Amino acid sequence: MTDITLLDGSIGQELVKRAGKRPTPLWSTSVMLEAPDHVGAVHRDYFEAGATVATTNTYAVLRDRLEPAGIGDQFEALIDTALAQAETARAAHGSGRIAGALGPLGASYRPDICPPPAEAEGLYADSVRAMNDRVDLFLIETAASVAQAEGALRGASLGSKPVWLSVTVMDDDGSRLRSGEGVGELAAIVAQYQPQAVLVNCSRPEAMAAALDIIAGFGLPFGAYANGFTRITEGFLKDRPTVEALSARVDLTPEAYADFAMGWVGQGATIVGGCCEVGPVHIAHLARRLRAAGHRIV
């Protein structure tokens, strides 16, 4: 029997679907001003599906993202709402951990516009301080380069909670970060900043195995949570994109996704879950598969 941490799945994409509105660059953030209970409902559904971690809806709640959209003055209120929704869902469920999400500065998959590590550290500081006392861990998500990962690690280390680092890799070559750097090039900063776990997220599930083979060599707990997009398109790499620039896969059924995730567990992964386009039904099916295989979900 292996203890497996089961993460939740998509937050932003679930909010887009439930709202029934066209997405905007900051829709998953602005929803907390317009309809915050949608966020809590998503967290509750994931807990009921079997997830043991609620990832806060703070992926894009960073001052460098809010200020260009004219809502920089809502930073504290957005953080508080995201935390409160996760806390309420956990209380209703009766157990679980809360992971404070720290998304990439600038935009996803754009390490070219991310500030250098020393500057990024300061930009993450506000988020880390605001969440530190109310989360169980910090989850750095979708780091696309070594420098981007380092900046986030420097910022997260300003808090007092465990830090998990998650990176995103090429759709067609899981051995490389989206910057083109090898996944193995993370080894030095992992050794320096000592996160408690290293993961891969928001990449095609087919790319994960190659990345995990390398990350396993870091000697830390590791895992993966993939997305359900066909691929990250050139259109999504332009300024202020929305998910309308991406296409969801039609073949990634809950059973198919669980097949991939069980393969990662077979490689030694002890943390699995889902990212964009992977919803509560996928997580529920994965939970059943894990239990059927004799694993304990913790």
Side-chain angles (χ1 to χ4, degrees), residues 43-120:
H43 288 314
R44 288 195 299 274
D45 286 352
Y46 281 122
F47 275 133
E48 290 173 6
T52 57
V53 177
T55 306
T56 61
N57 189 37
T58 53
Y59 180 90
V61 184
L62 298 160
R63 290 196 186 276
D64 81 312
R65 294 220 196 183
L66 301 181
E67 288 171 358
I71 55 173
D73 60 338
Q74 297 293 321
F75 174 80
E76 289 83 4
L78 288 165
I79 290 280
D80 180 70
T81 298
L83 291 168
Q85 292 295 325
E87 290 166 341
T88 299
R90 176 173 64 178
H93 183 66
S95 64
R97 286 181 284 176
I98 294 176
L102 298 171
L105 298 169
S108 297
Y109 323 116
R110 292 291 307 276
D112 58 304
I113 63 172
C114 187
E119 183 180 346

Side-chain angles (χ1 to χ4, degrees), residues 154-210:
R154 288 174 63 152
S157 69
L158 299 173
S160 62
K161 299 299 173 66
V163 177
W164 293 0
L165 169 66
S166 191
V167 299
T168 181
V169 297
M170 294 283 196
D171 287 325
D172 300 318
D173 183 357
S175 70
R176 292 189 295 148
L177 302 173
R178 294 205 184 259
S179 62
E181 298 163 291
V183 171
E185 294 180 57
L186 293 164
I189 62 166
V190 168
Q192 181 177 356
Y193 295 98
Q194 300 185 330
Q196 277 67 44
V198 181
L199 303 98
V200 191
N201 80 293
C202 216
S203 308
R204 286 168 54 87
E206 290 88 347
M208 296 301 191

Side-chain angles (χ1 to χ4, degrees), residues 134-156:
R134 296 169 65 182
V135 300
D136 298 293
L137 61 107
F138 286 107
L139 177 56
I140 296 166
E141 297 195 281
T142 326
S145 72
V146 174
Q148 196 170 51
E150 181 180 357
L153 284 167
R154 288 174 63 152

Side-chain angles (χ1 to χ4, degrees), residues 258-284:
D259 286 343
F260 282 114
M262 295 304 292
W264 308 331
V265 171
Q267 289 180 264
T270 57
I271 306 167
V272 292
C275 203
C276 306
E277 294 293 343
V278 176
V281 293
H282 295 83
I283 299 302

